[in-house]
């Protein structure tokens, strides 16, 4: 018997996704397609009659704006929203801004494969010479972060390690108070929550690519254990495609 | 010597502004024009180099949407937004939904002006027979306030707006200003006027003459006691601002029969 329901939504296409560039902490905006994805996700929640009490998102505009589109669709713009760097996308360090071809050219295919397949090997750090260093590391929004907290790069393990304290200290108490929570965030920060909820292995979470712009619903028991697999909300075809894409991921040849 | 800077913004046009109807606590959305006003305001604030740390809005969608559009134009979507019913527009009671021009024709421009601009005269209370009563009081957001729903207003004078706004101002907004945060208040005509009355010490009589145009940021520079060090500044093209002020003032006047 589900005591709680939790909804996650991964933002859709950003301008840099379009260009196939490592985005990470660069504050790329949603592309037009990404805006449509957010609206469609909002419509799915509206059609299913979802009500929330509190929302969480990152400090990156592609997630914040996705949340705004959703709140507008479900006519709940008045909900309290908490923004946190801890729900940011994984920080891609020195790879930020490079497209996939440039990355392979710069570091070699073998090294790229290691970074892609590793849970705990971080990419090279973003140092002061990096062309996005000022833009990201010196951004006002990170002014309160300590030297230890502000990353210069992250492995997936690092991303999860800084996301989970927020989940445990801020989000879980709200869920347990009976607040209906909506989280709009990024592929890797949401992987952290999913891995934790489902008790997935490192290998398994690396295989999982959450669909974008589609509300992901978990029903949780009173100990916050999922009572079943994640559900997707949307029209029949969208949901079917998303489920098939996820199922195929584990089988994809690398 | 100016220690703190604060920006007040009255949201832009909603569909009912166009029809000259008292909107108040009905959750109208911004019209296309209102969306444009908010974006223009954001662009202006960006050009002027504003860096907000915190935004306050009411619980009404039009003030929240205005804040979103302003932050979007400035690339500051990450800035926290705090929402409270205590910044809501003035509650116009039984006059909610009525057309200002029709009212002016029925009751005379003067009476309408009194209701709109007097300091302590409340309009008649809204009750269950009113067409918008259920829409307002059944809304879930009013079950989340810091007073029980039955204690929320049923009509307000401007004085009553300040009475419910001031505790929030003092407990929640002032401490942030004093921490040196640059604050944007995305509010409504009357909640902004109430704040101005309080900060500038405008008299009960004189506040009637204060008109805030929509979509025009109002900059206040305050000393360490939160007293203004200079007159409020309406930011932007001055000719546009005068036109915007006139537009609001004309809304109170009766339309001639056409």
């Amino acid at each position: 018997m589900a005591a709680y329901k939790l909804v996650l939504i991964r933002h859709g296409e950003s301008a840099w996704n379009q260009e196939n560039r490592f985005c990470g902490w660069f504050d790329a905006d949603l592309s037009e397609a990404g805006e449509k994805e957010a609206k469609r996700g909002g419509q799915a929640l509206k059609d299913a009659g979802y009500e929330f009490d509190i929302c969480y998102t990152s400090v990156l505009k592609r997630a914040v704006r996705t949340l705004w589109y959703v709140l507008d669709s479900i006519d709940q713009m008045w909900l309290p929203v908490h923004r946190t760097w801890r729900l940011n996308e994984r920080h891609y360090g020195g790879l930020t801004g490079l497209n996939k071809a440039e990355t392979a050219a710069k570091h070699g295919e073998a090294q790229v494969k290691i970074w892609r397949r590793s849970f705990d090997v971080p990419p090279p750090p973003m140092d002061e010479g990096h062309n996005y260093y000022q833009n990201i590391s010196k951004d006002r929004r990170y002014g309160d972060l300590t030297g230890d907290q502000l990353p210069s790069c992250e492995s997936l393990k690092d991303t999860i390690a800084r996301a989970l304290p927020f989940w445990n200290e801020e989000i879980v108490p709200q869920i347990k108070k009976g607040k209906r929570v909506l989280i709009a965030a990024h592929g890797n920060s949401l992987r952290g929550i999913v891995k934790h909820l489902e008790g997935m292995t490192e290998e398994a979470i690396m295989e999982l690519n959450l669909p974008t712009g589609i509300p992901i619903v978990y029903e949780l028991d009173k100990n916050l254990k999922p009572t079943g697999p994640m559900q997707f909300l949307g029209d029949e075809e969208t949901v079917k495609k998303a489920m098939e894409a996820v199922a195929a991921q584990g089988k994809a040849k690398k | 010597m100016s220690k703190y800077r604060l920006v007040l913004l009255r949201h832009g046009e909603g569909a009912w502004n166009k029809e000259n109807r008292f909107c108040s606590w009905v959750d109208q959305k911004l019209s296309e024009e209102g969306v444009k006003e908010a974006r223009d305001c954001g662009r202006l604030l960006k050009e002027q180099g504003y860096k907000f740390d915190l935004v306050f809005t009411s619980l009404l969608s039009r003030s929240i949407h205005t804040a979103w559009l302003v932050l979007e134009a400035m690339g500051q979507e990450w800035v926290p937004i705090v929402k409270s019913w205590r910044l809501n527009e003035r509650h116009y009671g039984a006059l909610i939904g009525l057309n200002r021009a029709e009212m002016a024709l029925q009751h005379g421009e003067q009476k309408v002006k009194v209701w709109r601009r007097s300091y302590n005269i409340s309009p008649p209370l809204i009750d269950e027979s009113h067409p918008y009563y259920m829409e307002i009081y059944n809304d879930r957001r009013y079950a989340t306030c810091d007073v029980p729903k039955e204690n929320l207003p049923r009509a307000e004078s401007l004085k009553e707006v300040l009475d419910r706004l001031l505790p929030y101002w003092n407990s929640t907004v002032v401490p942030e200003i004093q921490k040196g945060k640059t604050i944007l208040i995305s509010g409504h005509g009357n909640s902004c006027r109430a704040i101005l009355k309080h900060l500038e010490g405008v008299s009960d009589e004189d506040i009637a003459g204060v008109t805030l145009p929509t979509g025009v940021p109002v900059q206040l520079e305050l000393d360490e006691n939160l007293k203004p060090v200079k007159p409020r500044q309406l930011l932007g093209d001055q000719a546009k601002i005068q036109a915007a002020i006139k537009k609001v003032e004309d809304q109170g006047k009766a339309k001639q029969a056409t």
Side-chain angles (χ1 to χ4, degrees), chain B residues 138-156:
Chain B
N138 283 353
D139 194 297
R140 197 161 61 87
R141 79 194 74 187
Y142 296 119
T144 68
C145 301
D146 61 354
V147 300
K149 198 159 62 164
E150 53 271 19
N151 292 354
L152 290 172
R154 296 297 190 268
E156 290 177 315

Side-chain angles (χ1 to χ4, degrees), chain A residues 234-241:
Chain A
D235 61 82
E236 212 178 298
E237 176 166 346
T238 305
V239 170
K240 184 160 172 283
K241 268 198 198 157

Side-chain angles (χ1 to χ4, degrees), chain A residues 74-136:
Chain A
I74 59 175
D75 201 16
Q76 292 168 54
M77 291 161 97
W78 55 271
L79 290 176
V81 173
H82 293 269
R83 298 156 170 75
T84 174
W85 67 275
R86 290 182 180 276
L87 287 176
N88 270 15
E89 181 48 294
R90 174 180 167 192
H91 193 305
Y92 281 105
L95 303 184
T96 307
L98 297 180
N99 69 28
K100 307 286 153 72
E102 286 166 346
T103 311
K106 187 167 178 177
H107 297 280
E109 299 264 11
Q111 179 64 264
V112 174
K113 251 188 191 162
I114 293 173
W115 284 326
R116 285 184 64 201
R117 289 195 197 172
S118 163
F119 183 70
D120 58 7
V121 175
M126 174 183 284
D127 58 37
E128 287 171 34
H130 194 284
N131 52 338
Y132 288 104
Y133 178 78
Q134 284 298 324
N135 174 279
I136 296 173

